[in-house]
Every structure is written in C-alpha cells, then in structure tokens.
C-alpha cells in the first residue's frame, strides 16, 4: 500500500507479510496495483527508503532488438536493409563483441531469409537469436533456421496474465515452465522475456518463476536466460524507491533472491517517461550484465534504449572503448536518413544535425578560440562530426567566420575581421530585422559566401575540368595494363589503340614511344584527321616532351594541360603513362591527346562505367592532385 508521508513529502510503501515471500501467490482476481497505477492519473512512485549500494556487473554487454522490437514501430525492413544494418551492428560491436546478440522475428519467409543472409556473413558477433511466443509450435521456426537460442514471450504482470491471456497465475506459471522444458528438449537455449515486470507482483510471481527456471537449469545443465522487460517504461532509479518500479531493487531481487547469475540476466527498457537510457545504465550498475536496445532507439511507441547512447555510456563508465567503433555510429545514422528515409531530429543527442552546433555569438567565438569550450568531447575524432555553428542573428561575426571555415576547405582560414564577413553579417541582420525567426540554412549561407568570397570556390567549369582529367586518368590507367599493351609489339599495340579510340571517340590522337623517346607506333587518330598528323614520322623523337619525361622520372600517370592543340585547334589534355611488360619491366610510354570539351559531355557515363562519384571533398583532393601538372 502507498500512503502519503507528510514528513518526508513522498509516498511511503507500506510493507506487508507478503513482501519477501518467495512462493507462487495465487489470487482470485488480478492485482493491478491501483495504488501506484490508478490509470486515470499519472502513475505514482512510492518509497520504502531502503538504499541499495551499487554492485556493478563484472561485464557490461549489450544486445540488440532492432529487427524485432525496432521493426514494430516502422515499415518493415527489406532483407537487404537488414543485412546492411547487421553489418553496422557488427562494426559498432568491435572485435570483443560488446553488442553480443541480435534478435530476429522468425514467422515469415522474409524473416527467415533475413536470418539466413546474416548467418552467411559468419560474424561471431552479434550472435543471431530468435523471438517466439510461448507456443511449442513456434519452436519449429527456430529449428528451421538453425538457431541455438530464442527469446520466449513470458508475460508476468496480472495485466497480461488475467486481462490479455485469460489465465490465472498458476496456469501461466505452468505454461511457461512447460514451454521452457520443451525448448530445452529441442537443444535450444531459452531466454524468458519477463514482459511488464515493472507492473508485476515481484515476490508473488516473478521471483518464484525465476527460481523454478534456475532449478530447471540445474537439472538440464543448460543455461536459461531471463530478460526483464520494462514494457511501459515505468522503471525508476530514485534512491529508496520501492518495487516493482525500482530498477536497482528489481535487479537485486533476481540476483539475490531468485539466484539468477548476473551473466544470465538482461534488461529491456522503453522510453515512455524519458528514462530508457538511465534505467539501462542503472541495470548495469546494480549487477545486470546485459542491456537491450535498438539502433537510434527505434521501437514500440516512444522506442527503446538507443544502442549508440549505450556505447558512449559504456566508454564513460569503463574508461575505455574496448574496440567499440564509434565512427560506425555516424555512418549508421546516415544510412537510416538517406537510404531508409528515417528522420533524425536536429537536436537528437550524438547524431542530430545540431547536436554539436552552437548559435550564440559568444559561444561561436569560444569555439573559434578553442572548440573544447563548447563541445562535449572531440566529436571529430570519436564520431566523425566536427563542431558547427548555426547562423542566426545571435551568431555574430565569429559565428559566420566559423561556419565558413568549417564548411569550406581552404588554404587559409577566414578571420571574423574579413570585410566579406561583415557584409554577410549585415544581410543576415537585415533579414531578422524584417521578421525572420528561423536559422539560416546551409544553402542560404553557401549562396552568400559564394557571392562575397568567390575566391574560396572552384568554378563549375574548373570542376568539370578536374573531373574530366580524373576520368581520362582512369581510362588510361586501365588501358596500359591490358595484355595487348604489355606485349610491347607495335602492331598489337596499334590494333589495341584503334579499338581504344573507337570506344572513346573524344581521344584525338594516341601513340607509343620507347624508353629512348622514339615513336614506335603509327599515328592512331580518326581517319578524317590522319593527314594532319603526317608531320609526326616514324621514330619521331619525343624525349624532350613533358608528357614523356614525367612518367619516366617517377613512374606515375600524368595529365598535362589543358592546352589548345596546334593541330586541330581543340582544347586538349595529354595523358601519359608508363607501359610495363608482365615482368614489370618498363618498355615505353603511352600518350593520348584528349579533346576535353567532348570528354566533359560524357562525364556522367564514364563515372557510371567506373563506379565513381565525386563529392566536394573529392574535388578538393583533385585540385591538390593536379595543381602542379
């Protein structure tokens, strides 16, 4: 019974003779604990004032239910999507398998196909497990895909036993123990999910059931796991809070009174009252070895405990990463957003667009001087997310300068005293003076910076030229490694070059010189232009040409130009590369003059052919690559 204690100012949990009873307590009607769960009011928290010291589990582990509980709150994943997400779980888990297990539905053909696809990866971790109802016929699905462990729905509150299942406590008790024995007979490890444990009679049903399961474990010689499911998120961590809502007391009741080993105990929480993460961490701290979660916390209603948050808490509490791959967290979130269309709120911790962003000018000025002042940790190193500044009327000159320096890679940083920064600031303030209430978008900011700081950008034409040069580089790189070119036989190489020119008609002229710089092939060009190249005779000496000298000196492929061809008047680049025979001996230099404008027209087709895309970062790297050519 919970009664108001006027001296302490909280509800007091009155003890009765049943408080520590450890045998099944049968009741004629469901005990819905109306004194703390009145339904027409917000649930109550009562206190017995008993304090439990923390007693951390020896090992902190995580388990995943993204493909079971997580899927219940969103459109189903495809098999390919499950496969990709399972790869992320494996990477995030690290070599020690901190994310130890991942559970799957097994009921549909697609469910089973997803399991088989993930099994084929042969990852040690996460171990693949199933989830079934407490029905013996469901064990067939577990056996069909060769799983060695499965979760079993084991509802423990009277809400579920009486109101949902239409049973009484004794019938539910017998049903669950019978199901566990049947599971063991099939050679499968049972994991009993104590559903709705934070609204259950802990000592009148849960502890006796757990004791019986541990007895069956001793008899069978096979482990039986227990997952404590805070189905409605009622768990609390307040010191002195009473059962069944106290997470610390729940954990200790199962370890100390039901004799469940800590490595066989697991916590599964929901976030209905914003307590999903803290409840999971307290489960670790009071002896529960494993806590269950999902990627991004997706799940029924308000979701589950986010695995990525658990990873950060693990590192904080253990003082080390133990191989957890935190960079994979960011990549996983990007996959959710781009491939699955799953929106992540801007202010979502660790992953939202604004999680390490500041808008206030005084904060931005601090970040400019030392990012530690307003950044939670080195988010660039740990999550691959540099701190950013959101631009509003409060950002100031420092904020705008920081935005420019963080978004645009340049040889020199732009100082807040730069005149262009003042011009951009004036335009922004003018918008807010006219009533704007939203932050400046990246698109808007980029347009302003391009207008007032054009020297920081590569023009569209220069961008196309860079991509054209890189694509020419790639096709020549591939061509000189063909068997025909490695043969060193002039006629064989000429035939290969004619096919090469036919495939890529933007090639104006190609040729091969030996290691002395003497041309050893015919002039390979389009028949309509062959007469123009008659001046280049057999054994023509090219040893003084840059396109020949550079590859001979360093063995690399070089792109020279652009320049205007004196033969055709077209804007061209010359790509040259060493030719090596099968024994890696240098036997000559291949050169090709390429009409740049015609190449640019088919850039997209070439990129698709070579499986390439070019981001802004790639363009900056190409700028550095070709700067000295």
């Amino acid at each position: 019974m919970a009664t108001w204690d006027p001296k302490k100012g909280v509800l007091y949990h009155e003890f009765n003779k049943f408080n520590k009873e450890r045998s099944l307590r049968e009741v004629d009607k469901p005990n819905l604990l109306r004194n703390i769960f009145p339904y027409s009011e917000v649930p109550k928290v009562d206190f017995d004032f008993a304090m439990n010291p923390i007693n951390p589990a020896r090992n902190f582990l995580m388990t995943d239910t993204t493909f079971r509980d997580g899927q219940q709150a969103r459109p189903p994943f495809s098999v390919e999507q499950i496969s990709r997400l399972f790869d992320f779980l494996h990477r995030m888990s690290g070599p020690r398998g901190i994310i130890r297990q991942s559970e799957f539905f097994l009921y549909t053909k697609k469910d089973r196909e997803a399991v088989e696809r993930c099994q084929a990866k042969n990852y040690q971790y996460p171990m693949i497990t199933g989830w079934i109802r407490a029905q013996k016929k469901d064990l067939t699905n577990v056996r069909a895909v060769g799983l060695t462990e499965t979760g079993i729905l084991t509802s423990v509150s009277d809400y579920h036993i009486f109101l949902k299942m239409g049973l009484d406590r004794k019938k539910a008790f017998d049903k669950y123990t019978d199901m566990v024995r049947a599971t063991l007979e099939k050679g499968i490890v049972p994991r009993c999910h104590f559903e709705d444990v934070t609204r259950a009679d802990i000592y009148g049903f849960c502890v006796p059931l757990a004791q019986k399961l541990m007895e069956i474990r001793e008899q069978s010689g096979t482990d039986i796991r227990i997952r404590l499911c805070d189905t409605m998120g009622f768990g609390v961590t307040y010191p002195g809070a009473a059962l069944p809502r106290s997470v610390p007391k729940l954990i200790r009741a199962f370890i100390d009174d039901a004799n469940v080993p800590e490595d066989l105990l697991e916590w599964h929480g929901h976030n209905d009252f914003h307590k999903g993460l803290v409840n999971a961490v307290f489960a670790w701290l009071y002896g529960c070895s494993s806590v269950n979660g999902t990627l991004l916390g997706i799940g029924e209603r308000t979701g589950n405990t986010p695995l990525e948050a658990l990873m950060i808490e693990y590192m904080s509490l253990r003082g080390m990463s133990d191989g957890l791959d935190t960079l994979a967290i960011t990549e996983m979130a990007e996959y959710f957003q781009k491939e699955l269309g799953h929106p992540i709120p801007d202010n979502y911790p660790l992953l939202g667009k604004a999680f390490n962003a500041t808008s206030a000018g005084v904060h931005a000025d601090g970040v400019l001087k030392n990012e530690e002042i307003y950044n939670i940790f080195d988010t660039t190193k740990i999550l691959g997310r540099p701190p950013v500044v959101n631009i509003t009327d409060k950002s100031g000159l420092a904020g705008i300068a920081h935005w420019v320096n963080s978004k645009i890679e340049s040889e020199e940083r732009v100082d807040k005293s730069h005149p262009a920064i003042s011009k951009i600031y004036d335009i922004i303030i003018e918008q807010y003076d006219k009533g704007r209430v939203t932050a400046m978008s990246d698109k808007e900011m980029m347009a302003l910076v391009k207008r007032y700081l054009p020297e920081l950008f590569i023009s569209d034409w220069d961008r196309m030229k860079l991509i054209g040069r890189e694509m020419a580089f790639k096709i020549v790189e591939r061509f000189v490694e063909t068997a025909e070119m490695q043969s060193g036989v002039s006629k064989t190489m000429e035939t290969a070059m004619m096919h090469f020119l036919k495939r890529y008609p933007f090639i104006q002229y190609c040729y091969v010189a030996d290691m002395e710089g003497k041309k050893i092939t015919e002039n390979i060009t389009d028949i309509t232009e062959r007469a123009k190249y008659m001046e280049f005779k057999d054994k023509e000496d090219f040893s003084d040409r840059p396109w020949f000298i550079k590859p001979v000196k360093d063995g690399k492929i070089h792109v020279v130009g652009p320049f205007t061809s004196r033969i055709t008047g077209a804007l061209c680049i010359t790509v040259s590369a060493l030719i090596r025979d099968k024994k890696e001996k240098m036997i000559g230099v291949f050169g090709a003059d390429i009409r740049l404008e015609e190449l640019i027209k088919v850039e997209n087709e070439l990129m698709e052919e070579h499986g390439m895309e070019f981001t802004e970062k790639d363009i900056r790297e190409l700028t550095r690559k070709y700067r000295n050519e």
Side-chain angles (χ1 to χ4, degrees), residues 172-184:
F173 188 99
D174 292 341
K175 175 184 174 71
Y176 298 149
T177 54
D178 185 47
M179 180 67 187
V180 166
R181 289 191 178 97
T183 305
L184 292 169

Side-chain angles (χ1 to χ4, degrees), residues 49-99:
F49 302 106
M51 302 293 184
N52 297 67
I54 67 168
N55 190 354
R58 290 185 301 275
N59 297 302
F60 288 5
L61 297 174
M62 301 168 220
T63 61
D64 168 67
T65 185
T66 299
F67 310 126
R68 201 271 302 173
D69 198 323
Q71 274 202 111
Q72 293 178 166
R74 53 158 288 118
F77 296 119
S78 69
V79 173
E80 177 60 28
Q81 289 166 349
I82 289 174
S83 175
R84 287 291 307 279
L85 292 174
F86 192 71
D87 289 337
F88 284 119
L89 285 168
H90 172 69
R91 285 180 54 200
M92 290 162 64
S93 180
R96 296 182 60 179
I98 306 300
I99 302 177

Side-chain angles (χ1 to χ4, degrees), residues 199-235:
R199 282 196 299 185
D201 186 341
I202 303 305
Y203 285 97
F205 185 81
C206 299
V207 167
L209 177 59
Q211 288 177 317
K212 186 63 177 180
L213 294 177
M214 293 302 101
E215 180 184 316
I216 296 171
R217 170 179 176 256
E218 291 294 326
Q219 294 167 353
S220 67
T222 301
D223 280 337
I224 298 172
R225 302 180 186 278
I226 293 177
R227 177 184 290 181
L228 304 180
C229 301
D230 183 16
T231 306
M232 304 302 293
F234 288 129

